[in-house]
Amino acid sequence: MLILTFAAIALIAALAHVAGRPAARVNDVARKLDTRGILAVVFVATFLLLWYSWSSTNPIPVVHDEMAYVLQSKIFASGHWSLPSPPLPAFWEQPHVLVEPALAAKYFPGHALVLTIGSFLGWPALMPLVLQSAAAVLLYALARRVAGGPVAFATWIIWLTSPIVLHFGPTYYSESTTVVCWLAGWTCLLEWRAQRSLPWLLGVAFSVAWCFVTRPLTGVAYGLPIMFVVMRDVHAGKHWRQLLVAVALGAAVLGIIPLWSALTTGDWRTTPLLLYTRQYMPYDVPGFGLITTPPALEISPQLGYLNQAYARWHVHHFPSTLPAISVQRLRPLSESVWGLSRGVLVVFALMGLLVLDSVTLFAVVSAAILFLLYLTFATPPGWTLYYYEAVPTLAFLTAAGLAWAVSMFGRPRPTAPSRSYSWTSPRWAMPLALGALMLSVAVVPALKRVRAEHVRSQRVMNEFDAVPRAIPEQKALLFVYYKPTHDPNVSFVRNSPAPWAERVWVVRDRGPEENARLMAMSPDRAAYLYDEEQKALFRYDPRRVR
């Protein structure tokens, strides 16, 4: 990859030198990059590449967060905000999922509501792919508006081929919704500032509110700079009526939160996230230091392992340690954006700061606020997904810096000192486009690795899914015994949006006495035990239970 990166840069430089001569004809590549048709190409290419990276026609959720989002989307698709608690809820404990007083995911509902479209159609993966492709189109359109088609094309290629997008793009994480909110809201903001038309301001309000309904902390980081710009413009132009209408729309969208809470926890003031945190993970909140309040409920060994894995990051998380934590987080973030080039492209991102205009500066400030706000949350340094919404800005900075460097190579000779050259000139379309395409070819090995990672992660779940299918009875109860070294990020116990219709109930083993209680409540179901350590399925026998 490093060799191809340097080769691409050399190609750009050579072509720029030729393109910069006064006698050179301006090619029509720039015109093609400014057509509407290129947006369709961007959408389809992004969709197909990320779908390929996902390694399955209809990929299943693998990580706890993904499982929770997909479960909630299926609950929404069934026409409910939540479902009644299953019998003896402790058997159905699943990370990031409430099992009492109702069955529902803990996460704010914005993303799951979007996923509902795919779940209703029987293809949950549809919406993440559509969202990522929509983000690609919005990014291209924004970059083209600010810096022209060539820079937009390079921005899209750099974004799409970054490790973080290749890995997290084809997943069920909620950042696929919030990144669309960020880019759509910025588009609406630019249009509103140009036209002062109410529908565009309503688009801004909706984007900010939906981002908050999806990921509140990300919504705050997104909304603060927008609020500053909008309030300044409203005050200057006396657009108070438009502001009131926009605020009303935003408030209506935010009204989803108390409604969701009331229909799930029974109290509009207590969100499922807050209740779940109290029940299972009291430490998992923004702030400093480790909260030692014990969980309100007795937790399973699996949740205990998960808590141990994440609580340890809170122990040394204090204001005094934030500078060191920032450095620890910036390095993996840099690798997740520019890692395929071994950091070479980060040099061009720094060059991009030399050509900042007010629009780009706004995006950079928003990205910085996002990073700073998440410093209040103790997380593993390598968990860069929280900064996913900042990646489009970093990709644009890289492309802009690359374009600026190209313009340096293409400066005219002294014989034509009066000729004007700009880093946004169509003259650089061919060098940038070919160089970006070469960079995209360099990503092929990385794409294969990411696809292989998705294959491995789904293999574990697919192998377990074969276990319930091997049970011959029409109705069964499968107790799962986790081995001591079980991966805390994987759960075999998965709740269903229609548990009464499930042929096999998959629950965790809770010991002979508790298991007997559940068996007594479901006498029509044959009982089995799956021992993960032995990878074996047995007819249930209390003597086998450990």
Side-chain angles (χ1 to χ4, degrees):
M1 174 62 188
L2 187 60
I3 295 175
L4 286 173
T5 299
F6 280 116
I9 294 171
L11 175 65
I12 293 172
L15 289 174
H17 180 69
V18 174
R21 294 178 179 176
R25 294 176 55 192
V26 177
N27 59 68
D28 63 351
V29 173
R31 287 193 294 272
K32 293 179 180 178
L33 294 177
D34 282 333
T35 63
R36 291 184 178 180
I38 190 66
L39 298 180
V41 172
V42 167
F43 185 96
V44 173
T46 303
F47 190 101
L48 293 178
L49 186 140
L50 294 182
W51 193 13
Y52 172 82
S53 174
W54 216 342
S55 76
S56 175
T57 303
N58 193 9
I60 60 175
V62 175
V63 181
H64 298 319
D65 310 68
E66 296 181 278
M67 293 178 182
Y69 283 122
V70 173
L71 170 64
Q72 187 61 51
S73 73
K74 291 180 178 179
I75 293 174
F76 285 147
S78 70
H80 301 87
W81 287 87
S82 62
L83 296 177
S85 293
L88 300 180
F91 280 97
W92 273 267
E93 283 182 341
Q94 176 185 346
H96 308 321
V97 173
L98 280 174
V99 291
E100 54 179 320
L103 176 64
K106 75 172 186 178
Y107 291 114
F108 275 59
H111 183 55
L113 285 168
V114 177
L115 293 183
T116 299
I117 300 171
S119 293
F120 185 79
L121 297 174
W123 189 22
L126 171 65
M127 291 314 296
L129 294 172
V130 168
L131 288 167
Q132 297 292 346
S133 303
V137 170
L138 289 166
L139 174 59
Y140 186 97
L142 278 169
R144 186 171 66 181
R145 176 173 184 159
V146 173
V151 174
F153 185 78
T155 299
W156 169 58
I157 292 293
I158 293 168
W159 174 82
L160 181 60
T161 58
S162 64
I164 189 172
V165 172
L166 289 177
H167 180 77
F168 287 116
T171 63
Y172 293 101
Y173 287 107
S174 58
E175 281 77 6
S176 60
T177 290
T178 50
V179 72
V180 171
C181 289
W182 277 50
L183 296 171
W186 287 349
T187 301
C188 292
L189 181 61
L190 285 175
E191 291 293 343
W192 177 72
R193 299 194 75 204
Q195 304 178 28
R196 302 302 185 194
S197 176
L198 177 61
W200 291 115
L201 187 58
L202 294 179
V204 174
F206 182 86
S207 298
V208 173
W210 199 267
C211 186
F212 189 91
V213 169
T214 303
R215 298 188 61 83
L217 196 57
T218 302
V220 171
Y222 175 54
L224 286 175
I226 287 180
M227 182 175 65
F228 173 80
V229 171
V230 169
M231 290 303 298
R232 185 190 62 185
D233 287 6
V234 165
H235 181 267
K238 309 299 181 183
H239 302 292
W240 297 108
R241 181 174 297 179
Q242 288 191 12
L243 179 64
L244 288 175
V245 177
V247 169
L249 175 63
V253 174
L254 293 177
I256 293 175
I257 296 175
L259 176 64
W260 159 67
S261 301
L263 295 176
T264 305
T265 68
D267 184 350
W268 67 270
R269 296 163 298 183
T270 303
T271 67
L273 176 61
L274 178 60
L275 180 59
Y276 181 91
T277 302
R278 291 172 181 170
Q279 290 179 345
Y280 298 108
M281 308 172 79
Y283 67 90
D284 192 33
V285 293
F288 300 100
L290 176 64
I291 295 176
T292 57
T293 304
L297 299 179
E298 179 185 356
I299 61 175
S300 66
Q302 185 192 17
L303 279 172
Y305 297 145
L306 194 67
N307 284 350
Q308 290 174 13
Y310 289 101
R312 66 189 183 93
W313 297 105
H314 292 256
V315 175
H316 304 291
H317 190 79
F318 296 101
S320 60
T321 61
L322 288 185
I325 291 173
S326 299
V327 174
Q328 292 172 358
R329 294 186 183 185
L330 282 172
R331 181 172 180 177
L333 176 59
S334 174
E335 292 173 349
S336 69
V337 178
W338 301 289
L340 292 182
S341 67
R342 303 288 180 88
V344 172
L345 290 180
V346 73
V347 176
F348 293 100
L350 294 174
M351 290 182 182
L353 295 174
L354 300 175
V355 290
L356 281 180
D357 57 8
S358 60
V359 174
T360 311
L361 178 61
F362 174 86
V364 171
V365 169
S366 299
I369 293 175
L370 179 69
F371 182 82
L372 292 173
L373 275 184
Y374 272 97
L375 284 176
T376 65
F377 208 91
T379 63
W383 191 246
T384 58
L385 181 60
Y386 288 154
Y387 316 113
Y388 194 82
E389 297 81 6
V391 177
T393 299
L394 299 177
F396 176 78
L397 279 180
T398 308
L402 194 59
W404 181 81
V406 167
S407 73
M408 296 299 102
F409 281 110
R411 284 190 181 279
R413 296 180 179 183
T415 54
S418 61
R419 194 172 179 86
S420 175
Y421 285 82
S422 168
W423 68 278
T424 61
S425 170
R427 182 180 301 278
W428 319 127
M430 180 66 78
L432 272 180
L434 290 181
L437 285 176
M438 180 173 284
L439 288 173
S440 68
V441 171
V443 84
V444 171
L447 180 60
K448 291 181 178 179
R449 287 195 299 272
V450 171
R451 178 179 169 86
E453 291 172 5
H454 284 295
V455 168
R456 284 193 298 270
S457 62
Q458 293 194 45
R459 183 183 298 130
V460 175
M461 301 307 301
N462 286 326
E463 288 176 352
F464 175 78
D465 286 345
V467 175
R469 291 197 298 267
I471 296 176
E473 284 83 1
Q474 289 301 312
K475 288 188 175 183
L477 188 59
L478 177 59
F479 295 98
V480 175
Y481 173 76
Y482 290 112
K483 62 183 180 182
T485 57
H486 175 78
D487 182 354
N489 293 306
V490 174
S491 177
F492 294 148
V493 176
R494 284 163 289 170
N495 286 274
S496 167
W500 56 86
E502 292 294 326
R503 189 178 71 85
V504 179
W505 287 354
V506 181
V507 298
R508 73 180 180 93
D509 167 41
R510 301 195 69 232
E513 293 184 5
E514 289 297 310
N515 292 352
R517 291 181 60 199
L518 184 60
M519 291 168 63
M521 295 180 65
S522 51
D524 59 333
R525 291 182 176 270
Y528 284 82
L529 174 71
Y530 175 72
D531 190 325
E532 184 189 15
E533 198 157 27
Q534 300 182 42
K535 291 190 175 181
L537 176 68
F538 304 99
R539 273 282 191 175
Y540 183 79
D541 183 342
R543 292 171 295 182
R544 284 190 178 273
V545 178
R546 309 184 189 190

